[in-house]
Amino acid sequence: MSVVFLSYTWSDLAHVNRIDRALRREPGVRVFRDTDIATFDRITATLAAEVDAAELFVVFYSRRYPTRYACQWELTRAFLGAHGDPMGKILVINPEPDEHHIAPVELTDAGYYDWYRDPDPRKVAALVAGKAGSPSVGLVTNDLDPEVVKPRRFVGRYREMWTVHSALHGGLLSAVTKPYGHSVAVLKAPNGMGKSATARHYAFLFRDAYPGGVLWLNMDGSGLRIAGKDVLTHFAEQLRAAARFGNRLADLPPDRVGPAAAGLLTEDVLIVVDDLPPGLTADVLDQLVVPSPRAHTLITARSITAQWPVTHVELGGLDGAEAEELLRAQWHDLDDRERDAIHSLAQSCGGHPETLSIAVSRLAAARGTGAIEQFDEELAAIARGGVDLHAAQVDAQSKVARLVLGFTAALADAPFSGGLVATGLVAGGRATAVQVAAALSELAEQSLLRRVDPDGWQPQSLVADATRGELGPDTCGDLARLAARTVAAALRTEPVDRRLLLHARVLAGNAALPRDEALELLRLTARRHEDLGDAPSARDAIEQAIRLAGLLCATGDLLTAARLAVAARDRAAITHATLAVDRAATSGDRETEYRARFLAATAHDHAGDYHAADAVLPDAIPGWLPETERPTALVARSAALRRRGRFAEALAVITEVHPEIRREHPGGAHRGPWPAATVELAATLVLAGEVDRARDLARSVVDLFAEVGLPEHGVAKDAEATAADADVAIAFADWNWTDERWRAATDRLGVLAARSGEWFGPHNPRTLDLRVRHARALVASKQPGPALDLLSPLDTSLIDVLGADHPLRLRARSTVGAARVAVTDWERAREVLADVLPRQVAVLGEAHVDAISTRFELGIATLGCGRRAEACALADRAARLQRDNYGATTEQALEMTMLGASLKVTPRSLLAGLVRLRRPR
């Protein structure tokens, strides 16, 4: 026997009765409708059981159907039981001339029976009999964000939730609506209207549409009052902290977190961006959407620009019946006068849920003592705008409850633990732990706080505003200082509660806090973010501390900011470190001065200004440097020598320190210094010709990060690039070379460059470096055309990101010249190389391998232009520099010597053939 559930509104009873009779005549079909509920049965429980048991849900979907709460309840349950595939379980009968009233969009896409044009109940019965009989499948559950499963008291809003759902999925159904790239919907409403509650309820009800789960990002629009870039920074911080990504986004700057997260999504995910602050432009809003067809973004906001072309869903107030339903948890047995009072209240306050809850709490507290008469007076005052119920309710609380409200009003508009409040008020001598616990319960009963888990609470934004007004600036300032000290103490303990980091940032911006306390909060926040592996957020916090302190900022804060900026390859490191150098030198603090000089020199090196780096920091590492810092300094010294072309010295330094680091970190912990030191050793070995060992070392680092689930980590990417360089060197050094081997090794660099662009961005220095490496390998493997195609559009990015005279940009230009030589475009090759050589000599010195290579290629191009004497002088000088600085027996020295000799006797007409016969290098 197949069970069919027939759903409809009473206004369509005549049509439904005809369909019902036809269905009941079909053999093997049992029809259930609400008239079949036995007397004294619980209506909701019976309907739920029948909807779940039904193999087919038949809905007579007239224009009145979406307006009926019970109908929408039935439809939602049936839709969820259909696993997002309504064609399998739901049949829509449409009696209207169009389909615009049908929601969600999947029901339209599934098709429907057109009753308007063919009102034949026999055809409907036959269609139902054909569809019935398929097995019913129960709901699928998946792991949900803790925010979604918090206790909730919720009614109505089905129409709005269906509109949201259609917006988030309609773009994928091109037969119904015009498709768009990423699905986004915005829930808009004033404070306290239930935006977050609606988003939570939607995420819970429609969880099976998102097998990848729900990500809840709390933007704290009222607490931070952030805008522009700060919103993006906070959005990125929230995404980095999402458990589903582990630490894979940890070292990415804010503008790359969203695109990188998109690449990690393998299933459909709902991303709720909750409580977005107002005033954001469309271009900023675009960056708050993870750019993946797997990401469905629901934003809640009080207001949002109409210029942003996404679905905007206005959330209105509750009507009288919905208000009754909302308040049944507090008040079960309403009499007629009380019910009338609640309906009047809903009308007076525009159905505002928070206001309704507070007003009914006041009425319930005085129930049976003439409260209705007093409530009628308040209703009249509300209608005139003369009563602030939030302020009145705050004022009516006990002394300890008011202290709790004042304490929490200083925090962010985000969850906090009851233990935090108790610790603060007890330590401040304001209350006992028992009193605080009782006050929290009292405030929850009065709808002034919302419990979100056994020890978690959520403030109400309008209540916080009313609390600040009622308690006054002196009391609120005193409680804010107490909250700041409590949060600071909690941040010093293990393990750290991530929720505290947001509260700390908000408290640090409270004008009542002394500057020293605000600065300490920001320092602790930065330290904790770094401990959690979120260096970009740590840097943002310490930069906020520097801005707050102004000219009085601490040298230690400058050093922290410089260190974090160096790790991010940001030129701001130079500014911070230079100021720290000046301060330390003035005070005679030689240890701080050295550390600041070390950071400044490293930052100059990253900027390609080796002369400035050498001027800031002498070669010697001081003997007093602690043993814990010495290995890092030596690894950095090796990298500096390698960049300057002093490979033998670099190898000596890194070979000395690497075993020591290995002993201190025998497991090769990915957070320790071993991975970076090993990549440095491998990179130096490649240049020294020990390519097999270099490749093995680099691959060991790649494997380490893969094992801990961080394959995209920056050090892992550096290791991949070094391993690819070693593969290229091995392929080109093999005398049994083939074009296929060259191309395979070269293509690996191309793949790495493409992946780096997707992860770190196309203009990231790491990506630019890989593209230049790829181009050089293309030229060496006799593919000059593709190399020129790659380098031509790259030059603008190199200049914009690094500068016209950065060593990498000069290397790219030299590679362009070499590619022009390879295609015998002598004049253009000579023009490029003649421009590059003096600039490389100025930046790197004439003995640097890049300058030597450029000089030699310029010699070949010069001969191609018919200037033999000048060409031979250039080639001879290049060969001599190669022999004197890197040894006479190196492959490069031998090639330059032999090819240079050939240039002296080779006729110009045969030069192209000689160039084509060169070995790859």
Side-chain angles (χ1 to χ4, degrees), residues 453-529:
D453 56 53
D455 189 42
W457 303 82
Q458 175 84 38
Q460 307 275 27
S461 56
L462 293 179
V463 173
D465 291 340
T467 298
R468 287 186 280 268
E470 286 301 295
L471 269 59
D474 291 341
T475 300
C476 285
D478 184 41
L479 290 170
R481 290 187 289 274
L482 180 58
R485 291 192 292 273
T486 307
V487 169
L491 286 174
R492 295 187 183 97
T493 62
E494 297 288 350
V496 66
D497 181 350
R498 275 189 177 271
R499 295 180 296 187
L500 293 173
L501 298 171
L502 179 56
H503 294 307
R505 292 292 293 272
V506 171
L507 284 164
N510 194 308
L513 256 67
R515 185 173 59 184
D516 288 348
E517 292 187 28
L519 291 173
E520 180 61 14
L521 269 178
L522 292 171
R523 291 181 190 119
L524 287 167
T525 301
R527 188 184 311 158
R528 282 315 201 172
H529 272 305

